[in-house]
Amino acid sequence: MSSIRNRPPGTPDAVDAVPRLRTLVPLSVQHVLIAYSGMVTVPLLIGSGLGLSGDRIAALITANLFVSGVATLLQTIGIWKVGVRLPIVMGSTFTGIGPAIIVGKDGGLPAVFGATLVAGALTFLAAPYFSRLLRFFPPLVTGAIIAIIGFSLVPSTASLIAGPDPQAPGYGAVRDIGLAAGTIAFILLVERFAPPFLARVAVLLALIGGTLVAVAMGITDFGGVGEADLVGFVAPFDFGAPTFMLSAILPMVIVQLVNMVESAGDTLAMGQIAGREVGPPEVARALRADGAATALAGAFNSFTIVTFGENVGLVSMTKVLSRWVVAGSGLILVVLGLAPKLGAVVAALPGPVLGGVGVVMFGMVGAVGLRILAQADLADSRNMLVVSLSFGLGFMPVGAPHVYDRFPQFAQTILGSGIAAGGIAAFLLNLLLNETRRDRASGPTAAGEPGGEPAGVAGPSGPPGRGPRPRPPDQPPERT
């Protein structure tokens, strides 16, 4: 991986470079379109689950867009030691949907927002300490987590493509699936045959082209655009003063622990993509931005904020590394949060088109995870055990969403999220199987030293009777 220290002094690298406005704007819009469905879905599901009226759900959506935009600006531009200054989009997380609905039914939205405030503040304070645990997140762990994040989100595109209700008459219509397949094919054709400057906006072109086809087919409706207000305002504590209940705070803190693992993984992945060295200080800055944004979300009627993995996949695909492009998307999100009519335009994008793009983007995130996993020694049986079990636990809730319904609520929060279960499993299994043997190998009684076993009895990378497996000369050592 190349380092920014290798460039000539005073020369901005690809991350700090500022593209021309005519290039920056469409690339920023592309990031917004990729992230928008997720940012709208979280408040939509929470509001619907709590039985809110349409105008109250709309208020949650605009608030979430506004906070996500501010959080993205904070992460990409940075203030003091807050924000990692990498091209990372921030937004609300699906992990918090279940806990928010349960807490909201018990104590109302003021309890949800109060717990979000506390969880954000604790995240901000814990960021430098959590970042020091990076030695426990080698490529084996981060690659597994990022792969799980990407591949576990792929099935969620089915509801966009086929429809949310399997019992509905039009569920899985051939035209919808065909439109999604056409969107994917369009991306492939642009990537294969278009000039490089067009290939960078292949996803944006696919969204526009797919929407035009959907309009011609009569399967999308922009009627809601005319009904939306032109200008809106996001008022703090619009749902009432926050309340602070321990029973509400604990689930949100668990959600934030999961988010910190996800954000650390995405930040490390972006460092890999951008060729920048990312260590504890950089991860701490990213997590501080997570915490500050989540606390802001609690004040402005929104929910826990985390890095958006699908946009990491977009950066990996387009190779557009400028953080100012993503900062531009943050500014657009702020405007969308203050202009409900503009937001309604994006909300009207047809589900099959968004679903087709999601298949590509989520799959790309998973592929980034596999690329990072390839840096680990997968010929080692212990490493393979870490990957296989973390993948198994991570994908089990995807195939059987109700498998943990009889467990206590705090356990459902962790195990019911494939990202949470798989990520925690990867961390703990690596700690159990690899970190303990590294400690033994580097300690005063390591193999081959006085008091230790001979090297041929039990090497750190092999079973009894075999010495340590040598690392190929062209393979860099694992980051610990």
Side-chain angles (χ1 to χ4, degrees):
M1 181 174 67
S2 63
S3 169
I4 60 173
R5 290 190 292 241
N6 294 331
R7 71 177 188 270
T11 304
D13 69 339
V15 173
D16 291 327
V18 182
R20 294 182 178 180
L21 192 62
R22 65 173 181 266
T23 303
L24 186 147
V25 171
L27 293 173
S28 297
V29 170
Q30 183 172 243
H31 272 288
V32 171
L33 294 176
I34 291 302
Y36 190 88
S37 60
M39 293 177 181
V40 170
T41 300
V42 171
L44 178 63
L45 292 179
I46 293 174
S48 301
L50 295 177
L52 300 183
S53 61
D55 62 323
R56 292 284 78 190
I57 293 177
L60 289 179
I61 291 174
T62 54
N64 197 43
L65 291 171
F66 175 79
V67 172
S68 298
V70 173
T72 300
L73 289 169
L74 183 62
Q75 190 73 275
T76 53
I77 298 175
I79 300 173
W80 184 58
K81 295 183 179 180
V82 181
V84 72
R85 297 176 176 87
L86 285 173
I88 294 176
V89 173
M90 305 288 289
S92 51
T93 168
F94 286 84
T95 310
I97 292 176
I101 292 175
I102 292 170
V103 170
K105 288 181 176 179
D106 184 30
L109 279 175
V112 175
F113 298 140
T116 303
L117 272 167
V118 173
L122 292 177
T123 301
F124 187 93
L125 295 174
Y129 305 101
F130 187 88
S131 67
R132 294 173 189 169
L133 299 176
L134 278 182
R135 68 177 295 263
F136 300 114
F137 290 89
L140 178 68
V141 175
T142 56
I145 292 174
I146 294 166
I148 291 170
I149 290 171
F151 293 136
S152 66
L153 289 173
V154 170
S156 67
T157 61
S159 61
L160 289 171
I161 296 171
D165 184 8
Q167 306 303 321
Y171 181 82
V174 174
R175 67 173 187 179
D176 294 340
I177 296 176
L179 182 57
T183 302
I184 295 172
F186 186 90
I187 294 174
L188 294 175
L189 291 173
V190 171
E191 183 70 24
R192 173 62 180 85
F193 297 107
F197 74 94
L198 284 179
R200 291 189 300 175
V201 292
V203 172
L204 176 60
L205 294 176
L207 287 169
I208 295 173
T211 300
L212 292 176
V213 172
V215 170
M217 296 171 65
I219 58 174
T220 189
D221 181 18
F222 287 93
V225 176
E227 300 174 1
D229 295 332
L230 181 62
V231 179
F233 178 71
V234 180
F237 307 118
D238 189 32
F239 289 79
T243 58
F244 303 96
M245 302 164 48
L246 183 61
S247 59
I249 292 171
L250 286 178
M252 289 301 171
V253 170
I254 293 175
V255 168
Q256 275 302 97
L257 286 174
V258 174
N259 290 346
M260 292 171 78
V261 173
E262 183 174 345
S263 289
D266 283 339
T267 304
L268 291 168
M270 188 57 73
Q272 292 268 347
I273 295 167
R276 280 200 168 186
E277 295 179 359
V278 173
E282 290 76 20
V283 172
R285 290 199 293 267
L287 294 178
R288 285 193 190 99
D290 276 20
T294 297
L296 182 71
F300 280 87
N301 325 305
S302 189
F303 308 98
T304 51
I305 300 295
V306 72
T307 54
F308 257 40
E310 51 265 55
N311 292 84
V312 174
L314 180 62
V315 172
S316 176
M317 176 180 172
T318 62
K319 305 302 181 186
V320 178
L321 304 176
S322 172
R323 62 189 174 103
W324 298 105
V325 166
V326 178
S329 69
L331 183 60
I332 294 172
L333 287 169
V334 170
V335 172
L336 289 174
L338 300 176
K341 190 176 289 292
L342 292 177
V345 173
V346 183
L349 292 176
V353 175
L354 289 172
V357 168
V359 170
V360 177
M361 291 298 98
F362 294 151
M364 186 68 69
V365 175
V368 170
L370 295 180
R371 187 176 72 185
I372 296 173
L373 263 178
Q375 300 176 26
D377 181 9
L378 295 182
D380 188 312
S381 60
R382 292 189 181 184
N383 287 346
M384 286 297 289
L385 192 58
V386 172
V387 175
S388 60
L389 283 176
S390 59
F391 274 36
L393 292 173
F395 294 130
M396 187 181 296
V398 177
H402 304 289
V403 65
Y404 299 115
D405 280 1
R406 295 184 181 273
F407 280 59
Q409 185 54 48
F410 76 91
Q412 290 185 41
T413 301
I414 299 173
L415 299 174
S417 165
I419 295 171
I424 293 172
F427 173 78
L428 293 179
L429 288 168
N430 180 68
L431 196 66
L432 173 66
L433 297 177
N434 289 331
E435 293 298 329
T436 51
R437 73 176 174 186
R438 287 194 187 101
D439 292 341
R440 288 198 302 267
S442 60
T445 58
E449 295 185 9
E453 294 181 80
V457 174
S461 299
R466 292 167 57 187
R469 182 182 295 110
R471 184 178 299 275
D474 59 340
Q475 181 178 346
E478 285 188 12
R479 289 181 56 194
T480 58

